[in-house]
Amino acid sequence: MGRRERNKIDTRRAIADAAFDLARSVGPGAFTADQIAERAGVSRRTFFNYFHSAEDALTVRMDGFLELALGVFGSMPAGEPLFESIIRAFSETTRMEGLSQHGELFRMADTNPELLRAQLHSWERAEVLIAEALRRRLGSVTGDLYLTALVGSVLSCTKAAVRDWAATTAEDAEDSGEQLEARILAALSMLRDGFSEPVASGAPSTARDTHASPGQPV
Amino acid sequence: MGRRERNKIDTRRAIADAAFDLARSVGPGAFTADQIAERAGVSRRTFFNYFHSAEDALTVRMDGFLELALGVFGSMPAGEPLFESIIRAFSETTRMEGLSQHGELFRMADTNPELLRAQLHSWERAEVLIAEALRRRLGSVTGDLYLTALVGSVLSCTKAAVRDWAATTAEDAEDSGEQLEARILAALSMLRDGFSEPVASGAPSTARDTHASPGQPV
DNA sequence: GCCCTGATTGCACGGTGTGCAATTATTCGC
DNA sequence: GCGAATAATTGCACACCGTGCAATCAGGGC
């Protein structure tokens, strides 16, 4: 990797870190692009070469998480049942990534509409990427609607899991990673079972065969 | 309804209409707040009293659609199976609303990131409202994660249906409403059945009992 | 070393979003 | 009706945003 490439990555990272530090210390939405740039040691103009708003600089981590999950998913054996692959992809990703900052960023979105929008956009971009990957895996027989509805639902469940985790789990907890993993598993299991039976808090139904029983839900 | 209230509604509407007209004629993102204000016959400052940004003025219709759907859902009989209620709520809503502009707005989001973000935010707001309504219906036994994952998935499916519809159906088609309704029904049926079997384009599986058969999906 | 390519920077400029105080329009008590 | 309370509209000011442009600086190829 050449010097040029290396520098760009470093700069990008420096800016993202500066933005995160500022968000953390003065609160999201309470600082300007100039402040980020100054802290990152670049000019204001350069900041806007990398991101087009302060909030965007705060989604780098989430983008990374979702792209990483996509990469992991891509390496799953093709024969494996789809939901197995999806669940494992997210589970393994939670183990690879440092999660402490993610929860914090998520909570920040509660008090800052612009940041929330940026994060929603990040999920949306991931949705498109994942849909493309899945199309390659499932082939062209599958309808577009099926594909996009599935991917959207999977990400919604993941989002719900992450939010629940961010809301209830201290980010410095020992088992923080496992907590998130369990929630993702629980939410995706619900999805796989068509939400046929309401599940109370903290009691994820992971049994494969909840699937055979249900009759009329709710 | 007093004069004050009436005027506010009219102003809001005038601004939203002006924004839509402009978006339609010069393209989304190609006009300023001043232009909207001028066309609506109010001051620039007043525009910002009603909306945070030009793009926000373009989500009024979508907000209306989703709030209407929520209202319809609220009037469903409490004993009815949940997915029945949800599906019927959206179906009936598509019959009440003039849909011609919705498709156009959706397509505009493809070429305008800010508008996309505003629309995603609109879905997000609806998600919160619907989750609250559902909590009242289902009671407190239900876990938070179950609830938010369910609502997120339902809206993701609806979103996928609307997008597919917007992408494939001319907004002035005779059966435009039915087209959308069918897609929403199809997507929500897939969800109810846990996406157990891939469905090709244009062949919605609406049978309730796809549910009993499946075994390992995909 | 010299040139080429690409990243960084300063500058300028139109647009954004909001606090504030003045003005104008409705409402309400009488 | 009429004046006082209340709420909406407006103009103004101001800091900040986001981007085109041209100059400058750093890295890579030869």
Side-chain angles (χ1 to χ4, degrees), chain B residues 72-73 76-90 137:
Chain B
V72 173
F73 175 74
M76 294 285 152
E80 188 178 44
L82 184 57
F83 269 91
E84 263 347 279
S85 294
I86 292 174
I87 290 173
R88 280 183 49 216
F90 279 114
R137 171 162 168 158

Side-chain angles (χ1 to χ4, degrees), chain A residues 24 99-104 107 162-180 183:
Chain A
R24 180 173 242 179
L99 293 171
S100 57
Q101 301 172 337
H102 286 99
E104 218 168 334
R107 283 189 292 273
V162 177
R163 283 198 180 148
D164 191 55
W165 167 78
T168 59
T169 308
E171 67 265 21
D172 54 353
E174 280 274 328
D175 60 344
S176 177
E178 287 85 355
Q179 291 282 335
L180 175 56
R183 279 174 175 74

Side-chain angles (χ1 to χ4, degrees), chain B residues 82-116:
Chain B
L82 184 57
F83 269 91
E84 263 347 279
S85 294
I86 292 174
I87 290 173
R88 280 183 49 216
F90 279 114
S91 290
E92 296 193 9
T93 306
T94 61
R95 289 193 212 111
M96 301 166 80
E97 277 265 321
L99 292 171
S100 57
Q101 301 172 338
H102 286 98
E104 217 169 335
L105 283 166
F106 251 84
R107 282 189 291 274
M108 284 181 191
D110 292 341
T111 59
N112 187 323
E114 277 314 309
L115 180 56
L116 175 59

Side-chain angles (χ1 to χ4, degrees), chain B residues 41-180:
Chain B
V42 297
S43 72
R44 181 183 122 85
R45 190 62 183 83
T46 297
F47 169 80
F48 282 113
N49 283 341
Y50 282 86
F51 301 100
H52 288 310
S53 70
E55 287 74 24
D56 278 3
L58 293 173
T59 66
V60 185
R61 285 176 177 77
M62 190 184 302
D63 287 335
F65 178 86
L66 292 168
E67 279 160 24
L68 189 53
L70 180 57
V72 173
F73 175 74
S75 70
M76 294 285 152
E80 188 178 44
L82 184 57
F83 269 91
E84 263 347 279
S85 294
I86 292 174
I87 290 173
R88 280 183 49 216
F90 279 114
S91 290
E92 296 193 9
T93 306
T94 61
R95 289 193 212 111
M96 301 166 80
E97 277 265 321
L99 292 171
S100 57
Q101 301 172 338
H102 286 98
E104 217 169 335
L105 283 166
F106 251 84
R107 282 189 291 274
M108 284 181 191
D110 292 341
T111 59
N112 187 323
E114 277 314 309
L115 180 56
L116 175 59
R117 287 187 181 203
Q119 291 184 359
L120 292 173
H121 198 177
S122 178
W123 286 102
E124 166 73 20
R125 286 190 299 268
E127 199 169 321
V128 173
L129 293 179
I130 293 174
E132 285 168 7
L134 207 50
R135 162 157 300 113
R136 284 194 293 276
R137 171 162 168 158
L138 293 181
S140 57
V141 216
T142 318
D144 241 30
L145 182 55
Y146 176 84
L147 208 67
T148 51
L150 170 60
V151 175
S153 297
V154 166
L155 284 187
S156 274
C157 289
T158 309
K159 202 191 302 181
V162 177
R163 284 199 178 147
D164 191 53
W165 167 79
T168 59
T169 308
E171 68 264 19
D172 55 351
E174 280 275 326
D175 60 344
S176 176
E178 287 84 356
Q179 290 283 337
L180 175 56

Side-chain angles (χ1 to χ4, degrees), chain A residues 4 8 11 42-43 45-46 49-50:
Chain A
R4 264 205 168 104
K8 272 187 87 164
T11 305
V42 297
S43 71
R45 190 62 184 81
T46 298
N49 283 341
Y50 282 85

Side-chain angles (χ1 to χ4, degrees), chain A residues 64-146:
Chain A
F65 178 86
L66 292 168
E67 279 160 24
L68 189 53
L70 180 58
V72 173
F73 175 75
S75 70
M76 294 285 152
E80 188 178 45
L82 184 57
F83 269 92
E84 262 348 279
S85 293
I86 292 174
I87 289 172
R88 280 182 50 216
F90 279 114
S91 289
E92 296 193 8
T93 307
T94 62
R95 291 194 210 109
M96 300 167 80
E97 277 265 320
L99 293 171
S100 57
Q101 301 172 337
H102 286 99
E104 218 168 334
L105 283 166
F106 251 85
R107 283 189 292 273
M108 285 181 191
D110 292 340
T111 60
N112 188 323
E114 275 315 308
L115 180 56
L116 175 59
R117 288 187 180 202
Q119 290 183 1
L120 291 173
H121 199 178
S122 178
W123 286 102
E124 166 74 20
R125 286 191 298 267
E127 200 169 321
V128 174
L129 292 179
I130 294 174
E132 284 168 9
L134 206 51
R135 162 157 300 114
R136 284 195 292 276
R137 170 162 168 158
L138 294 181
S140 57
V141 216
T142 319
D144 241 30
L145 182 55
Y146 176 85

